[in-house]
Amino acid sequence: MKKKVQLMDELAVKRALTRLSFEIVEKSQNIENVILVGIKTRGIPMAKILADNIHKNIGYKPELCELDITFYRDDLTKMSDLPEVNSCNFGIDINGKEIIIVDDVLYTGRTARAAIEAIFSQGRPSKIGLAVLIDRGHRELPIRPDYVGKNVPTSQKELIKVNFSEIDGTTNVELFDKED
């Protein structure tokens, strides 16, 4: 892979996540009914940041759950034709709750679809939303995010890499060219 450009620095990522936190509070009918579900790997720190921002601003911290989906990350490496849910035991009752799936990049929509199926295997929420830091287009399924940090139109020959300091040692968003 060849790095083309840094799309967002740490400050831009923080600003986007702060804005998303406010949007979640504004759109939620009852923030105390919201559960943030972070998709492993980078959706988890993103969900934690959103929850911390909400807590800092309104004094209530939404519950967090983690969802482990092995996926072929369309833009990175194809390991399988379909996402596979590895772990989905939230340990809390999600019936009647407002679930917000949190992921770093939305591309084809297959990860979001797998997450929705996993959530329904755990119960029947009142609503499911989707929050992403980057929406890069190229949907293969009729999935759209409810909360978007940044829209970044890309070609199929490019990929987006979101970095969080907890995992990668730095926080930013980078655009790469795939090597043929």
Side-chain angles (χ1 to χ4, degrees):
M1 295 185 306
K2 180 182 175 192
K3 182 177 172 181
K4 287 178 75 169
V5 67
Q6 179 175 291
L7 298 170
M8 298 173 80
D9 62 12
E10 183 173 6
L11 183 59
V13 171
K14 285 181 179 180
R15 277 195 311 259
L17 294 178
T18 298
R19 182 176 41 79
L20 290 178
S21 302
F22 279 113
E23 288 178 16
I24 289 168
V25 171
E26 289 172 5
K27 287 185 181 181
S28 168
Q29 294 181 356
N30 176 7
I31 194 65
E32 294 180 9
N33 202 38
V34 170
I35 299 172
L36 300 176
V37 177
I39 295 179
K40 187 179 179 185
T41 296
R42 286 166 185 81
I44 294 170
M46 185 175 153
K48 289 176 182 175
I49 293 167
L50 292 172
D52 288 344
N53 287 346
I54 291 168
H55 182 254
K56 182 173 68 176
N57 291 306
I58 66 164
Y60 176 78
K61 188 171 186 174
E63 292 200 61
L64 294 168
C65 294
E66 297 179 3
L67 188 53
D68 182 1
I69 298 176
T70 298
F71 191 40
Y72 63 93
R73 271 295 303 269
D74 303 77
D75 59 343
L76 294 179
T77 305
K78 186 168 181 173
M79 294 168 47
S80 164
D81 285 331
L82 296 172
E84 179 182 322
V85 177
N86 287 332
S87 168
C88 184
N89 185 357
F90 296 153
I92 57 174
D93 182 13
I94 66 165
N95 290 301
K97 301 289 186 175
E98 181 179 345
I99 304 294
I100 299 175
I101 299 166
V102 180
D103 203 6
D104 57 346
V105 178
L106 178 59
Y107 186 33
T108 63
R110 292 179 187 277
T111 299
R113 182 206 46 85
I116 291 167
E117 288 180 11
I119 289 165
F120 278 123
S121 76
Q122 298 291 303
R124 293 293 176 256
S126 64
K127 182 179 179 181
I128 297 177
L130 176 61
V132 298
L133 182 58
I134 303 293
D135 181 353
R136 64 169 290 190
H138 304 287
R139 221 75 77 236
E140 294 175 0
L141 300 171
I143 303 280
R144 67 161 178 78
D146 301 281
Y147 310 95
V148 179
K150 185 175 182 85
N151 287 294
V152 181
T154 61
S155 80
Q156 300 255 357
K157 295 182 181 205
E158 295 173 318
L159 65 89
I160 301 253
K161 173 84 167 71
V162 174
N163 297 300
F164 283 107
S165 59
E166 298 89 332
I167 298 166
D168 308 295
T170 189
T171 299
N172 63 21
V173 179
E174 301 169 312
L175 180 67
F176 289 85
D177 270 329
K178 291 181 185 177
E179 294 181 349
D180 295 321

